[in-house]
Amino acid sequence: MHLTKLWTAAALVSAAPLTQATIIGSYNIRYDNKGDVQAGNGWPQRAPVIASLIQFHDFDVLGTQEGFHHQMEDLCRLLPDYGCSMHGRDDGKAAGEHIGIFFKKEKYELQDEGFFWLSETPDQPGKGWDASLPRICGWAKLLRKADKKVFYAFSLHLDHRGEVSRKEGVKLVLKKIEIAGEAPVYLTGDFNVDQHSESYQLLKDSTRLDDSHDVAKVRFALNGTPNKFDGNAKTESRIDHVFVSKGVPVRRYGILTDSYRAAPTADPEDSKSGNFPKEVTFEDYRVKLPSDHFPVLAETVD
């Protein structure tokens, strides 16, 4: 009788649904350009740092912005456990800066994908409203293999100049996410608007989305998200965001200020400190940041 009760209890435990966590993020990885190379922030040195950061923080799904096609290919090579849905903003294919959605291949299956231009003609290439550049939003329909649950991930990059295009782009995105139906939605991206802007307020006031920053139980956000490649710069502005469907519990939220070290132009002198063992030596290396934006991380549970 005792064994029978144990078996019954074990069966009930095994049949009970398990809580699933999803680590979702957004990262503007900075486009590859000669000016950054000359300033010591070239893509070849940043790429492995960005890939390691993504792996270490164990993102399940990550929306990226600004990477050219060769940058996206580099990340795909450096992140073999991830699949990626990506689209270039110039032609929707490989031309121009890309929107990407990376996802763990072991955990998720890509069931559908697409994109649209943030303009009055979302199915045609081009700039919208007062935007200075073409801008797009990409989306991926993902199936979580563990429980067959479907959700939609969106990644966008709003214009950095056009105020009208940002506002109208947000309105368009709020309409487009309706393709998800009743499925949960994650909206990530470089919105180029901070938490005090009118465009941001449109998202805050929507009936569909919450800012993960505001609803997280645990928050680690000691800085805003842009950093201009300066480890000493501080801002309160959050222009990169992760929005989640209303009611989705957010366990934690963070703006990840990870840095790395690069050798200075002159040979540094070794130094020691009386606070550490004598075999510990220090060199005067420069603090470097992997992008001019900090990535955003939000962990949801359901």
Side-chain angles (χ1 to χ4, degrees):
M1 184 67 176
H2 180 63
L3 288 176
T4 301
K5 288 183 179 179
L6 286 176
W7 289 334
T8 302
L12 288 173
V13 170
S14 64
L18 298 175
T19 299
Q20 295 283 342
T22 303
I23 299 177
I24 184 86
S26 186
Y27 201 179
N28 180 320
I29 63 172
R30 176 67 174 181
Y31 72 103
D32 186 9
N33 66 85
K34 292 181 180 179
D36 286 350
V37 174
Q38 294 168 355
N41 297 308
W43 173 248
Q45 75 184 47
R46 297 192 295 110
V49 180
I50 288 176
S52 295
L53 184 154
I54 292 169
Q55 290 172 318
F56 178 79
H57 289 289
D58 204 26
F59 286 99
D60 290 307
V61 180
L62 177 69
T64 66
Q65 305 85 39
E66 266 197 31
F68 287 121
H69 191 72
H70 69 275
Q71 293 178 270
M72 304 301 286
E73 288 184 322
D74 287 342
L75 287 182
C76 288
R77 175 177 52 81
L78 292 167
L79 298 168
D81 294 333
Y82 286 82
C84 184
S85 169
M86 55 182 168
H87 305 279
R89 72 183 184 189
D90 290 356
D91 62 359
K93 299 176 182 178
E97 294 176 12
H98 280 51
I99 287 292
I101 299 172
F102 287 85
F103 58 92
K104 287 183 178 177
K105 292 185 289 188
E106 184 180 14
K107 294 182 68 172
Y108 306 99
E109 175 186 305
L110 180 63
Q111 291 199 319
D112 200 0
E113 62 181 322
F115 72 99
F116 51 93
W117 276 272
L118 299 172
S119 75
E120 302 93 325
T121 54
D123 296 328
Q124 301 174 22
K127 297 183 289 186
W129 302 284
D130 61 345
S132 61
L133 296 165
R135 302 290 184 177
I136 63 172
C137 177
W139 59 268
K141 179 182 178 183
L142 296 169
L143 172 74
R144 189 163 60 191
K145 296 178 182 180
D147 58 5
K148 306 304 180 185
K149 185 174 181 177
V150 168
F151 63 90
Y152 283 72
F154 289 77
S155 177
L156 64 77
H157 193 180
L158 294 176
D159 198 65
H160 65 308
R161 299 292 184 196
E163 293 184 12
V164 175
S165 68
R166 290 196 292 264
K167 188 161 49 178
E168 295 301 322
V170 164
K171 292 178 183 178
L172 177 61
V173 169
L174 287 172
K175 291 179 182 178
K176 290 290 189 178
I177 63 175
E178 295 305 320
I179 62 172
E182 297 299 317
V185 169
Y186 298 112
L187 173 59
T188 70
D190 175 359
F191 290 73
N192 270 314
V193 294
D194 74 5
Q195 62 272 28
H196 306 297
S197 74
E198 184 178 352
S199 298
Y200 172 85
Q201 197 61 42
L202 289 172
L203 291 159
K204 282 274 291 181
D205 292 342
S206 77
T207 59
R208 188 69 188 265
L209 300 171
D210 281 325
D211 185 349
S212 58
H213 170 277
D214 295 343
V215 298
K217 292 184 66 176
V218 176
R219 187 181 305 128
F220 182 75
L222 304 181
N223 205 335
T225 60
N227 62 56
K228 64 176 185 177
F229 281 124
D230 183 352
N232 294 316
K234 180 173 174 58
T235 178
E236 298 299 325
S237 291
R238 293 180 285 109
I239 65 172
D240 305 85
H241 305 286
V242 174
F243 288 89
V244 301
S245 287
K246 289 279 186 186
V248 170
V250 180
R251 179 181 291 165
R252 58 193 179 104
Y253 168 98
I255 296 174
L256 309 179
T257 56
D258 301 72
S259 63
Y260 66 105
R261 302 296 181 270
T265 53
D267 292 334
E269 294 183 3
D270 290 350
S271 64
K272 295 181 180 293
S273 169
N275 296 320
F276 302 101
K278 63 181 181 180
E279 61 267 25
V280 177
T281 60
F282 296 92
E283 293 179 317
D284 187 22
Y285 275 53
R286 295 175 181 173
V287 174
K288 289 291 193 177
L289 300 175
S291 174
D292 64 343
H293 290 241
F294 292 123
V296 177
L297 179 152
E299 182 179 20
T300 65
V301 291
D302 59 83

